[in-house]
Amino acid sequence: GSDFLKSKYGKPLEITLYPSNEQLPEAVIRAGDNPADRLIRLAIHHRDRNNPEKQAGYYCKTYNKVVFDVVPHRDVFEKTIAKRDTSKKRWQKVWNNFHKSEQQAASRHLFLMESVTDRVFKYPALIQERVLLNRVSGLQSTGIAALANMVQPFTCYGDFLRVLDKNYVNPVSPGSPKLYFFNIEDTLYREEDTLYLISFHPRKGHTFDGLQGVLHLSSHFWAVQAIRATPADENATLHIKIEQSYQCIRNQWFPKQLNFELELEKYPDPMMGMRAAGRSYIEDAVPDTTCSSGAFDPEMPLIFLPSADRQQDTGWQRWRTLAPLNDKEWRTYAVMDSVGKKYNLDRISKASDALVTGLIPVRPPLVFDLSKLVHFNEFENVRLGFGISNAQYRPLRPQRLFEAGIRVGYGFGDRAWKYGAYALWRISRSRQTQLRAAWSQDLLEPGALHELQPTAFVNRTLYAQRMDRVRQYTTILSTRLQPALLLQAALRQQHMDTDAYGYQYRANEQAAPTHTFTFTEATAYIRWARGERVQQLLGTSTRPVQPWPVVELGYTRGWGDYTYHRWVAAIYQSVPLRHLGLAEWRMEVGGVTSGVPVSKLFLLNQGGGSFRAFAVNNTFQSLPDTLLLADRFLNIYYAQEAGHIFYRSKYSSPFLTLVQNAAWGDLKYPERQEMRGFAVARRPYLESGIRLDHLLQFNYVNFGRMGIGAAMFYRWGFLKSKTTRENISLRLSLRFTMQ
């Protein structure tokens, strides 16, 4: 105590402190390089070494399970019903439906899917996936399948992580430390390596499509061992979470499990949301192995085995040990299968098959072709028709060896009937070798690039104001020498009439003008598309991904009444660029022997007529009503997305795209073309544009966002008007996003 201290040390000292007005100098401490950034840069440096899709190839099997649920929101229900008169039938029905849905959600899932696939990959982009087992609750046979990469990519090492329909900047990609903030949350030490838990989210002041979450980084080859992420957009109507984990097999990291969750909180009703959750387990993986190109079918990278739907529960035993079915899942199968048999829910499956393939079985093997039912274009206005064939009407099944069909249509704008028939023999499926013979009496746009593939679903035929009437006989032989290389050879005879738009051709000064022509020609076509992939969603093909430019080349030799050489080429690509967005570009070039009718010349691709109000890709938007005719030409189209660089809010989220188009053409004998209102672009025609999508955006049935925007295009160079207003073209844009 205090007495002991006094006896031993004497009286304690008393020290008095007085306040002082003096101020200590300021000490500034600046942080050095973020240690998490250094770790991320190591992961980026080693990403090609750890990416299974940068090796020679791999083989694996996947077990996939997806459940769909109704998610009742009791708090929203109670607030909604609190001030309502529940004695009225309307609110009694709401009350009963909610409680019934709540009970069902507790006892079983709304929908359950399982599948087992084997997956083969060969560098750089060949993929073949076969569905070995498939089961969907309530349906005996279906054309949809749960896949490991149905929502997210199979690996997390690309520049972008594509989740559903949107590309998000990968946090493990070059330059990502400038866009993302990383922080080391924890460090776990093991015998052989160290595991770093690193959180990430977009840096403040950077507006881009980014993610937020946590990744586990292993010091063993600096590979990602696991990642959990969600989109950073707080205004999204669709809430998404993805998870991936990896294991090291023979010194190569490979996916082990892929999970996802999707939730629409207010779809189909604010009181009742929807949720989908999927798990994929990867087994029997053999990374860094070589695969023969003969194992791949470029026409069908995803295919069902004939026995996939017919397997009994014994065939699932091994796979269900990875994620055993719980009581709720067994109850879902039992209830939904009985409901499916009672109400014949396979009709829903057949309807979904028809939406995917566009074919409805009439009386097997005959099918009705929905794509021939109705067409719209500037020349015909509306065309109604039908098509009958024996094509394969079930998706993801092998196509028929022999196929034939007929079609009939009537255009109300030109008041004329159109007919067509074809026969197809698939000689070799592995090489995609096939022979096609066709006859038609139809329309063709003059001056179009018929040798090449259409640029998009909405292409120049939609707004063509001039059409040739043509009776045509065609034979085409096509094959793939390599997965990326498609070859075609065609023989064709055409009888054309150009009287519909008042055109006549005069071969020389002494010759009489004519509007009817006969062409006999042979065409060779080459398409090279290295690494092109077709994405899959629930087993349905979506738009292709083109990591390298696609090249198309067509050469036509004509003889008989008209002797000519015509060649066209196109090179194009649609690819996301880091820190910017999607870049779409296309270059077209061609030439034809001088002195041929307009049908074999080249007309510039311009949007007009009834469709002038809307912006269309790969089209000249600000051209006046002038036909640019050429026997030699060059077209360039470029569109660069800049993204949401301004702001994001609930009702407005401007999405910026910059556009630049250019054209040049020449014509040796313009006096032979007797047609009103055409010109020759001997000087370059240039067009610049700004497109702002989602200036206004609306909640679309609580499922996505429908955006209305505007675009402005300005023409300069050739055909530039002295009046600025006449050079400007204003258009609307429509854009739908699910997230």
Side-chain angles (χ1 to χ4, degrees):
S2 59
D3 295 337
F4 173 78
L5 293 175
K6 288 180 180 179
S7 63
K8 189 169 182 67
Y9 299 104
K11 186 179 179 180
L13 296 174
E14 292 185 3
I15 300 174
T16 303
L17 299 176
Y18 296 96
S20 173
N21 294 325
E22 294 183 7
Q23 185 175 3
L24 294 175
E26 180 182 1
V28 179
I29 301 174
R30 299 185 184 276
D33 189 18
N34 183 352
D37 288 351
R38 293 200 300 269
L39 296 177
I40 293 298
R41 282 194 285 268
L42 285 170
I44 294 170
H45 180 73
H46 290 83
R47 69 175 187 151
D48 284 352
R49 187 251 176 263
N50 295 318
N51 186 356
E53 296 187 346
K54 289 293 184 178
Q55 314 308 317
Y58 64 74
Y59 169 84
C60 67
K61 289 185 177 180
T62 72
Y63 168 61
N64 313 286
K65 180 165 64 174
V66 180
V67 296
F68 296 83
D69 287 294
V70 172
V71 184
H73 302 306
R74 173 159 282 278
D75 55 339
V76 178
F77 167 73
E78 290 178 349
K79 289 180 181 179
T80 304
I81 209 75
K83 298 180 180 180
R84 307 295 180 181
D85 185 357
T86 54
S87 63
K88 294 184 178 180
K89 289 185 178 180
R90 176 191 173 187
W91 295 107
Q92 284 181 356
K93 185 177 180 180
V94 171
W95 179 281
N96 293 333
N97 287 343
F98 181 85
H99 284 82
K100 183 178 179 181
S101 298
E102 199 173 40
Q103 292 172 0
Q104 289 181 348
S107 64
R108 64 175 175 85
H109 298 290
L110 180 67
F111 199 51
L112 172 61
M113 301 170 59
E114 289 180 284
S115 73
V116 176
T117 75
D118 63 9
R119 182 181 176 94
V120 186
F121 170 85
K122 182 178 181 180
Y123 184 82
L126 277 179
I127 292 180
Q128 186 68 56
E129 191 160 12
R130 301 185 306 162
V131 180
L132 309 178
L133 302 172
N134 195 56
R135 186 171 181 183
V136 179
S137 60
L139 303 177
Q140 299 299 313
S141 179
T142 181
I144 60 175
L147 302 174
N149 62 331
M150 63 188 292
V151 169
Q152 59 185 311
F154 193 71
T155 67
C156 69
Y157 285 103
D159 290 343
F160 294 84
L161 297 180
R162 185 170 182 83
V163 182
L164 289 180
D165 65 337
K166 183 176 288 188
N167 288 310
Y168 294 91
V169 176
N170 190 346
V172 185
S173 65
S176 62
K178 295 180 180 179
L179 296 176
Y180 285 97
F181 174 77
F182 297 96
N183 187 54
I184 300 175
E185 301 292 341
D186 200 356
T187 304
L188 304 177
Y189 298 97
R190 300 180 178 180
E191 293 181 1
E192 298 180 354
D193 60 354
T194 305
L195 189 65
Y196 300 93
L197 277 63
I198 302 174
S199 64
F200 59 89
H201 60 78
R203 290 184 180 273
K204 292 183 178 180
H206 289 74
T207 305
F208 66 100
D209 289 325
L211 301 167
Q212 59 187 6
V214 176
L215 62 86
H216 298 186
L217 183 64
S218 172
S219 62
H220 185 52
F221 301 129
W222 298 105
V224 175
Q225 190 180 73
I227 184 171
R228 299 192 306 273
T230 62
D233 183 6
E234 297 179 353
N235 295 315
T237 57
L238 177 61
H239 302 287
I240 303 173
K241 180 171 71 174
I242 61 172
E243 297 177 341
Q244 294 189 1
S245 64
Y246 292 77
Q247 59 184 333
C248 193
I249 305 173
R250 299 187 310 185
N251 283 329
Q252 176 63 55
W253 288 89
F254 198 82
K256 180 181 180 181
Q257 186 173 343
L258 282 70
N259 304 330
F260 74 85
E261 288 185 12
L262 309 176
E263 184 171 355
L264 287 159
E265 287 187 349
K266 299 180 180 180
Y267 181 84
D269 184 88
M271 291 184 291
M272 199 80 62
M274 293 283 292
R275 179 189 294 131
R279 296 180 179 271
S280 296
Y281 301 84
I282 290 83
E283 292 288 303
D284 302 341
V286 184
D288 199 12
T289 186
T290 57
C291 308
S292 170
S293 297
F296 300 88
D297 183 352
E299 187 178 16
M300 299 193 68
L302 175 65
I303 192 169
F304 270 73
L305 290 189
S307 59
D309 291 322
R310 298 195 294 268
Q311 293 286 341
Q312 301 299 319
D313 285 337
T314 54
W316 293 91
Q317 287 180 355
R318 176 204 169 182
W319 306 104
R320 286 173 176 166
T321 59
L322 300 172
L325 295 182
N326 55 37
D327 291 342
K328 189 174 183 179
E329 290 167 341
W330 280 117
R331 197 177 299 114
T332 302
Y333 272 138
V335 173
M336 292 305 299
D337 287 351
S338 62
V339 171
K341 291 179 181 179
K342 181 177 180 180
Y343 295 101
N344 192 17
L345 294 184
D346 278 321
R347 291 177 298 180
I348 299 176
S349 176
K350 292 178 181 178
S352 67
D353 289 353
L355 291 175
V356 171
T357 63
L359 302 172
I360 299 177
V362 180
R363 191 169 188 177
L366 295 181
V367 296
F368 180 79
D369 191 345
L370 290 174
S371 66
K372 305 296 187 295
L373 187 61
V374 60
H375 280 257
F376 301 94
N377 62 70
E378 190 68 29
F379 186 81
E380 294 178 285
N381 294 331
V382 178
R383 180 199 288 199
L384 298 180
F386 71 90
I388 297 289
S389 73
N390 69 328
Q392 173 61 267
Y393 62 91
R394 300 194 63 196
L396 306 180
R397 267 67 173 187
Q399 301 296 319
R400 301 192 190 281
L401 185 63
F402 295 98
E403 186 180 313
I406 60 171
R407 59 180 173 83
V408 177
Y410 180 81
F412 289 88
D414 62 342
R415 298 182 182 180
W417 288 93
K418 288 86 182 177
Y419 314 92
Y422 76 95
L424 178 64
W425 175 25
R426 293 184 170 87
I427 302 170
S428 171
R429 297 186 189 277
S430 61
R431 288 286 185 181
Q432 210 172 335
T433 303
Q434 56 188 37
L435 179 65
R436 180 186 180 96
W439 164 85
S440 65
Q441 183 162 320
D442 211 325
L443 302 172
L444 281 177
E445 184 189 3
L449 309 183
H450 298 296
E451 294 91 341
L452 307 180
Q453 291 189 357
T455 58
F457 177 75
V458 178
N459 54 64
R460 61 185 294 165
T461 302
L462 178 69
Y463 41 80
Q465 300 180 57
R466 296 164 181 82
M467 288 285 195
D468 292 338
R469 304 188 192 281
V470 56
R471 186 170 70 255
Q472 179 173 258
Y473 306 88
T474 307
T475 301
I476 302 175
L477 177 65
S478 61
T479 188
R480 284 189 183 272
L481 293 184
Q482 297 177 358
L485 185 61
L486 174 65
L487 301 180
Q488 285 185 355
L491 290 174
R492 188 181 300 107
Q493 187 177 70
Q494 299 172 325
H495 303 281
M496 287 190 172
D497 189 335
T498 62
D499 188 51
Y501 52 97
Y503 169 83
Q504 294 190 98
Y505 175 72
R506 188 187 297 271
N508 52 60
E509 293 182 358
Q510 291 74 32
T514 180
H515 58 83
T516 58
F517 313 95
T518 298
F519 301 105
T520 305
E521 59 186 26
T523 298
Y525 169 79
I526 299 173
R527 186 177 191 268
W528 183 81
R530 183 172 185 253
E532 186 176 47
R533 294 187 188 180
V534 178
Q535 294 181 311
Q536 303 286 337
L537 179 61
L538 288 176
T540 302
S541 299
T542 59
R543 70 178 185 177
V545 177
Q546 298 157 340
W548 288 275
V550 177
V551 179
E552 293 185 55
L553 176 63
Y555 167 74
T556 298
R557 173 74 166 89
W559 65 89
D561 293 353
Y562 297 90
T563 302
Y564 53 91
H565 303 270
R566 173 181 156 117
W567 65 274
V568 293
I571 178 170
Y572 55 92
Q573 187 181 21
S574 177
V575 60
L577 300 180
R578 283 195 296 267
H579 318 320
L580 285 177
L582 189 69
E584 293 184 289
W585 61 273
R586 180 181 178 91
M587 183 174 68
E588 303 167 342
V589 62
V592 64
T593 304
S594 301
V596 293
V598 68
S599 303
K600 299 301 175 182
L601 293 175
F602 304 103
L603 282 171
L604 199 61
N605 186 13
Q606 64 183 100
S610 303
F611 302 94
R612 188 179 292 277
F614 295 95
V616 182
N617 292 336
N618 296 328
T619 306
F620 293 95
Q621 310 280 282
S622 59
L623 267 175
D625 191 14
T626 301
L627 292 175
L628 293 182
L629 197 59
D631 54 25
R632 290 155 288 167
F633 81 99
L634 171 66
N635 295 337
I636 298 175
Y637 310 94
Y638 186 85
Q640 176 65 64
E641 291 184 353
H644 301 280
I645 64 173
F646 300 109
Y647 60 86
R648 284 186 173 184
S649 67
K650 185 176 182 180
Y651 297 107
S652 179
S653 186
F655 190 96
L656 176 64
T657 302
L658 303 177
V659 179
Q660 178 62 56
N661 301 328
W664 170 87
D666 201 359
L667 183 63
K668 190 171 184 181
Y669 299 112
E671 68 277 3
R672 298 184 181 183
Q673 316 298 326
E674 296 191 0
M675 182 171 55
R676 295 179 181 176
F678 80 88
V680 181
R682 292 190 174 94
R683 292 183 292 112
Y685 170 83
L686 301 170
E687 177 180 276
S688 302
I690 297 176
R691 178 170 172 167
L692 282 173
D693 296 313
H694 285 273
L695 287 175
L696 294 175
Q697 62 182 15
F698 307 96
N699 185 326
Y700 182 74
V701 295
N702 297 320
F703 183 76
R705 288 177 290 185
M706 176 62 72
I708 300 175
M712 183 181 74
F713 299 90
Y714 183 82
R715 72 170 180 262
W716 46 294
F718 180 66
L719 291 180
K720 179 182 178 181
S721 175
K722 294 181 180 180
T723 305
T724 301
R725 178 64 188 88
E726 293 179 355
N727 295 318
I728 296 175
S729 175
L730 300 176
R731 305 214 174 193
L732 296 174
S733 70
L734 298 176
R735 186 182 181 121
F736 174 79
T737 57
M738 292 178 60
Q739 304 172 46

